[in-house]
């Protein structure tokens, strides 16, 4: 029962509103407790497909409808074709307040997402493919312990990229995967490759000392996602035939649906399903042993081939080279038309510029003027990278953009890298970090607050 003027929504297969503003929910399938989600607020909904609607505060509902109208059904239909029936009935989305620390949370029937996805031009709609993929991997087949979080996330990253390949083609998907690989590299450089967090099977024990185990909050990093993706890609590589591996994924979902399983269950089923691979002993090929994948920290021993993305990466690489030159060849730069580049191609370009930063004197200012589409972007992924470039090049004239971005949202993936960049930068950048944090701390999720305090050396 909620106060007048409020609506309750839940991760449930059916719900009805009764008198006295009482809402009754039913979930007809078994789900693990972490997927039970309830939200109450001044929210309204709008249909965006035959089994989907968006929920948001009244001021956002138009933007949400415009962004997602007709989009979700296409992704769901491709997911069903690849992985089997979508069992949850509805697939609705709730846009959370800006302080929501994650991109999305895959609660069945009702995914919670960050309002950062409302870029205004549909340039971030494909982020929802990841949450949709959890409908099979995570929600339907669940990791039995958080020490094997990669079972949820590695399989979901693989499924997401399978759907994306069907919808957008392999060049674009490989480009997106290259961005993911760069984030994994960054994470492993930050923590050190041999950090116990950089194993797929993480030891979580009380005490949280480095020797005993790790804090479960810290397992939420790039390793289970991207190293997990590499392991699932390696399994597909062992099979050597995409349609056979797709059939295995359908069988895996069917075998373990509505169950919580371990990595041993999953890998045991893989070997049973492909007896010829079991016969060959693929689980113990030197250097690629399944046991090594699970229990040894460090860089993935196998990396999937992302070369189809080259056709999109090469022009971005070349353009970044031009901008990093001591004397700019404006003629060559102007010859590259970036107006048709999609989000991940721009992201890839900015990641390259960031790697080459600091650029020679004056280059970043010119880049900023040349591409307002980037330097004035409303797309959160572009804003993050532009802010990182501003900080790495100590472009004080655009510090306000960093502050504005951190005041507008509290997503962990955007907030922490910017504080790290400020704290590793000039005196002025450090001052900006302190000033921004004291202004925004109360609106951040407590975990994000604590991580920022750690970065800034605050108690």
């Amino acid at each position: 029962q909620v106060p007048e003027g409020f609506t309750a929504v839940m991760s449930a297969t059916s719900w009805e509103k009764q008198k006295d503003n009482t809402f009754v929910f039913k979930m007809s399938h078994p789900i693990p407790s972490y997927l039970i989600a309830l939200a109450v607020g001044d929210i309204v909904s709008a249909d965006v497909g035959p089994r989907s609607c968006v929920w948001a505060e009244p001021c956002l509902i138009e933007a949400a409808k415009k962004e997602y109208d007709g989009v979700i059904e296409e992704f769901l239909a491709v997911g069903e074709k690849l992985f089997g029936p979508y069992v949850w009935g509805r697939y609705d989305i709730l846009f959370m307040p800006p302080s929501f620390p994650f991109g999305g949370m895959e609660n069945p029937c009702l995914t919670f997402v960050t309002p950062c996805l409302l870029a205004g031009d549909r340039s971030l709609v494909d982020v929802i493919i990841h949450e949709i993929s959890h409908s099979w991997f995570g929600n339907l087949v669940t990791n039995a312990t958080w020490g094997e979080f990669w079972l949820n996330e590695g399989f979901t990253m693989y499924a997401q990229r399978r759907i994306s390949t069907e919808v957008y083609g392999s060049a674009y998907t490989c480009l997106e995967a290259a961005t993911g690989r760069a984030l994994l590299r960054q994470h492993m450089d930050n923590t050190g490759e041999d950090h116990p967090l950089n194993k797929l099977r993480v030891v979580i024990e009380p005490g949280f000392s480095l020797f005993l185990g790790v804090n479960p909050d810290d397992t939420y990093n790039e390793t289970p996602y991207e190293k997990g993706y590499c392991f699932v890609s390696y399994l597909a590589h062992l099979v050597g035939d995409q349609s056979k591996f797709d059939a295995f994924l359908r069988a895996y979902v069917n075998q373990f649906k509505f169950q919580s399983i371990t990595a041993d269950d999953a890998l045991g089923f893989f070997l049973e399903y492909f007896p010829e691979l079991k016969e060959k002993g693929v689980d113990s090929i030197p250097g690629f042993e399944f046991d090594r994948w699970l229990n040894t920290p460090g860089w993935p021993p196998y990396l999937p081939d992302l070369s189809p993305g080259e056709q999109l990466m090469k022009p971005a690489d070349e353009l970044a080279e031009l901008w990093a030159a001591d004397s700019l060849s404006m003629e060559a730069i102007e010859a590259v038309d970036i107006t048709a580049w999609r989000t991940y191609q721009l992201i890839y370009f900015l990641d390259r510029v960031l790697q080459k930063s600091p650029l020679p004197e004056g280059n970043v200012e010119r880049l900023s003027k040349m591409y307002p589409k980037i330097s004035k972007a409303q797309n959160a992924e572009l804003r993050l990278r532009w802010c990182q470039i501003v900080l790495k090049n100590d472009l004080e004239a655009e510090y306000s953009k960093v502050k504005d971005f951190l005041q507008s949202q509290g997503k962990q993936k955007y907030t922490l890298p910017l504080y790290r960049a400020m704290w590793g930068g000039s005196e002025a950048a450090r001052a900006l970090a302190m000033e921004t944090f004291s202004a925004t701390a109360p609106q951040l999720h407590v975990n994000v607050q604590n991580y920022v305090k750690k970065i800034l050396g605050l108690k």
Side-chain angles (χ1 to χ4, degrees), residues 195-197 202-216:
H195 192 286
L197 277 176
V202 180
V203 183
I204 299 175
E205 290 176 22
F208 304 154
S209 90
L210 203 56
F211 306 104
L212 279 176
V214 295
N215 183 333

Side-chain angles (χ1 to χ4, degrees), residues 101-118:
F102 308 116
M105 179 57 214
E106 66 274 9
N107 310 308
C109 311
L110 183 68
T111 285
F112 287 14
V113 296
T114 170
C116 293
L117 294 189
L118 299 175

Side-chain angles (χ1 to χ4, degrees), residues 120-408:
D121 57 1
R122 294 195 163 188
S123 55
L124 288 177
V125 293
D126 48 356
V127 173
I128 207 71
I129 300 178
H130 181 86
E131 309 310 333
I132 286 174
S133 301
H134 272 304
S135 306
W136 293 272
F137 304 96
N139 298 7
L140 200 47
V141 181
T142 309
N143 47 226
T145 73
W146 293 113
E148 295 189 328
F149 186 43
W150 78 272
L151 273 178
N152 277 13
E153 295 302 348
F155 275 91
T156 294
M157 290 305 292
Y158 188 85
Q160 167 198 325
R161 288 171 180 153
R162 281 294 295 120
I163 294 176
S164 171
T165 300
E166 296 286 310
V167 177
Y168 299 115
S170 62
Y172 186 70
T173 303
C174 287
L175 179 65
E176 183 273 324
T179 308
R181 188 178 294 178
L183 288 172
L184 179 65
R185 184 70 271 167
Q186 224 174 333
H187 160 73
M188 289 205 176
D189 290 345
N190 277 339
T191 54
E193 272 196 25
D194 51 3
H195 192 286
L197 277 176
N198 295 330
K199 297 190 293 197
L200 290 181
R201 187 182 273 150
V202 180
V203 183
I204 299 175
E205 290 176 22
F208 304 154
S209 90
L210 203 56
F211 306 104
L212 279 176
V214 295
N215 183 333
D217 278 335
D218 294 338
T219 60
Y220 179 74
N221 62 55
E222 301 301 333
T223 297
Y225 291 77
E226 294 295 345
K227 188 175 179 177
Y229 165 71
C230 290
F231 189 20
V232 180
S233 300
Y234 175 64
L235 298 177
H237 162 75
L238 289 174
V239 174
D241 176 320
Q242 186 66 62
S243 60
K244 279 187 184 162
F245 192 71
D246 288 347
F248 159 73
L249 290 175
R250 280 194 294 279
Y252 166 81
V253 168
N254 195 43
Q255 174 77 12
F256 295 116
K257 60 180 184 247
F258 305 118
Q259 294 176 56
S260 296
I261 66 166
T262 65
D264 292 341
D265 296 327
L267 295 170
F269 180 70
F270 173 77
L271 293 171
E272 295 303 319
Y273 188 87
F274 295 108
E276 67 284 7
L277 293 181
K278 187 179 185 175
E279 192 106 328
K280 273 169 48 185
V282 293
D283 54 336
S284 49
I285 297 169
F288 300 95
E289 300 90 346
F290 288 3
D291 186 76
R292 175 183 168 176
W293 274 102
L294 295 174
N295 298 311
T296 308
W299 195 243
Y302 168 86
L303 294 171
D305 171 26
L306 303 181
S307 59
E310 284 299 329
Q311 63 191 76
L312 298 171
M313 293 181 214
K314 201 161 169 266
D317 275 323
E318 287 166 357
L319 186 60
E321 281 293 334
L322 290 170
W323 280 107
D326 283 328
S327 58
L328 292 178
S329 160
M330 290 315 289
E331 197 180 336
I333 286 171
E334 280 161 14
V336 184
D337 177 16
I338 69 163
T339 50
W341 288 13
R342 296 197 34 201
T343 303
Y344 278 103
Q345 198 169 7
L346 292 169
I347 287 173
Y348 183 85
F349 165 66
L350 292 177
D351 281 342
R352 285 291 170 272
V353 170
L354 183 61
Q355 277 175 348
K356 296 173 192 304
S357 291
L359 301 185
E361 190 70 34
N363 287 18
V364 177
E365 288 89 333
R366 292 193 70 177
L367 193 148
S368 177
K369 284 195 184 72
M370 173 102 181
Y371 306 130
K373 173 182 177 175
I374 290 172
S375 60
K376 293 190 167 72
Q378 283 311 297
N379 176 312
E381 293 285 336
L382 298 179
R383 285 177 82 178
L384 165 67
R385 284 157 177 93
W386 184 249
C387 290
Q388 287 175 304
I389 288 167
V390 163
L391 292 166
K392 191 89 185 269
N393 289 277
D394 210 20
L395 190 61
E396 287 193 40
E398 297 203 13
Y399 272 9
S400 61
K401 288 184 179 167
V402 179
K403 197 172 172 180
D404 289 347
F405 185 45
L406 288 170
Q407 281 177 333
S408 71

Side-chain angles (χ1 to χ4, degrees), residues 43-55:
I43 49 175
V44 291
S45 67
D47 285 333
V48 291
R51 43 185 163 171
S52 304
C53 71
V54 287
W55 287 93

